[in-house]
Amino acid sequence: MMRMSCEAVRERLPEHLAGTARSMAPVIEAHLDICAECRADAALLEALRRHPLLPPRGLQEKVVRAVVSPGRRSYAFERRVVLA
């Protein structure tokens, strides 16, 4: 059986947990059986998939209003200074 690196398994975990990586499932499962770190990552992703985090009510509308408001101040310059 083919072996996968942790990096390769982590890249495929979302697909695997969604059931769309069926051809790779045996190899991924074999890796998860022997790798506690990847197993922990899989458990975290599964928990997030089952219980998605939702933004507070009204946040999307507030963001949209702030972005499209005519008096909106541009922060592009400040960002460049901070990142430089």
Side-chain angles (χ1 to χ4, degrees), residues 16 23 25 38 61 65 77:
H16 175 68
S23 65
C38 288
E61 292 81 14
R65 275 196 308 270
F77 176 74

Side-chain angles (χ1 to χ4, degrees), residues 66-67 69 71-83:
V67 169
S69 69
R72 183 174 159 256
R73 186 174 157 196
S74 172
Y75 294 98
F77 176 74
E78 287 87 351
R79 280 191 296 232
R80 273 187 265 127
V81 171
V82 171
L83 295 175

Side-chain angles (χ1 to χ4, degrees), residues 1-6 8-10 12-13 16 21-35 38:
M1 180 181 289
M2 183 176 112
R3 297 184 83 190
M4 292 180 78
S5 68
C6 290
V9 169
R10 287 186 185 120
R12 290 169 180 82
L13 275 177
H16 175 68
R22 289 188 179 103
S23 65
M24 297 300 294
V27 180
I28 293 171
E29 288 295 329
H31 181 89
L32 294 175
D33 286 343
I34 62 170
C35 182
C38 288

Side-chain angles (χ1 to χ4, degrees), residues 17-66:
L17 295 172
T20 58
R22 289 188 179 103
S23 65
M24 297 300 294
V27 180
I28 293 171
E29 288 295 329
H31 181 89
L32 294 175
D33 286 343
I34 62 170
C35 182
E37 194 172 325
C38 288
R39 236 183 354 265
D41 288 347
L44 176 61
L45 287 174
E46 181 63 21
L48 290 172
R49 190 177 72 81
R50 288 184 185 200
H51 307 285
L53 300 174
L54 300 175
R57 183 173 300 181
L59 178 62
Q60 180 177 353
E61 292 81 14
K62 287 179 183 178
V63 170
V64 169
R65 275 196 308 270

